[in-house]
């Protein structure tokens, strides 16, 4: 399955988490989202969102001000 990029650079809290939630809602099971954001609060908000939704962060890293998350949509 291919990865879906989600560029959330420049968006401020709570928009990155809300956009990830919307993308996951419309995604098929097993879809991989490659999320890039610059809001430091996303480091807290996105993992909390994953606990709520049951989806998984397969990788997270920071590269300077850029936060990158690889999120896998959970099976239905």
């Amino acid at each position: 399955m291919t990865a879906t990029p989600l560029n959330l650079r420049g968006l401020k809290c709570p928009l990155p988490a809300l956009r990830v939630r919307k993308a996951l809602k419309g995604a098929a099971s097993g879809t991989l989202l490659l999320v890039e954001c610059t809001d430091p609060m996303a480091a807290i908000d996105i993992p909390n969102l994953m606990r709520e939704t049951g989806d998984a962060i397969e990788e997270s890293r920071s590269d300077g001000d850029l936060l990158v998350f690889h999120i896998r949509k959970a099976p239905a």
Side-chain angles (χ1 to χ4, degrees), residues 30-55:
T31 298
L32 179 66
L33 296 181
L34 302 179
V35 179
E36 295 182 341
C37 47
T38 52
D39 180 16
M41 289 302 296
I44 297 168
D45 294 342
I46 291 178
N48 284 335
L49 175 63
M50 296 305 99
R51 280 191 283 282
E52 288 177 24
T53 64
D55 301 306

Side-chain angles (χ1 to χ4, degrees), residues 4-75:
T4 303
L6 197 57
N7 182 347
L8 305 176
R9 296 175 190 212
L11 296 179
K12 298 293 182 190
C13 183
L15 289 177
L18 293 174
R19 296 275 176 94
V20 169
R21 181 187 299 270
K22 183 177 181 179
L24 286 169
K25 188 173 184 178
S29 295
T31 298
L32 179 66
L33 296 181
L34 302 179
V35 179
E36 295 182 341
C37 47
T38 52
D39 180 16
M41 289 302 296
I44 297 168
D45 294 342
I46 291 178
N48 284 335
L49 175 63
M50 296 305 99
R51 280 191 283 282
E52 288 177 24
T53 64
D55 301 306
I57 296 176
E58 292 186 348
E59 180 184 341
S60 68
R61 67 179 187 275
S62 67
D63 185 14
D65 290 340
L66 181 66
L67 299 171
V68 179
F69 299 93
H70 292 196
I71 299 171
R72 181 78 61 184
K73 170 78 174 179

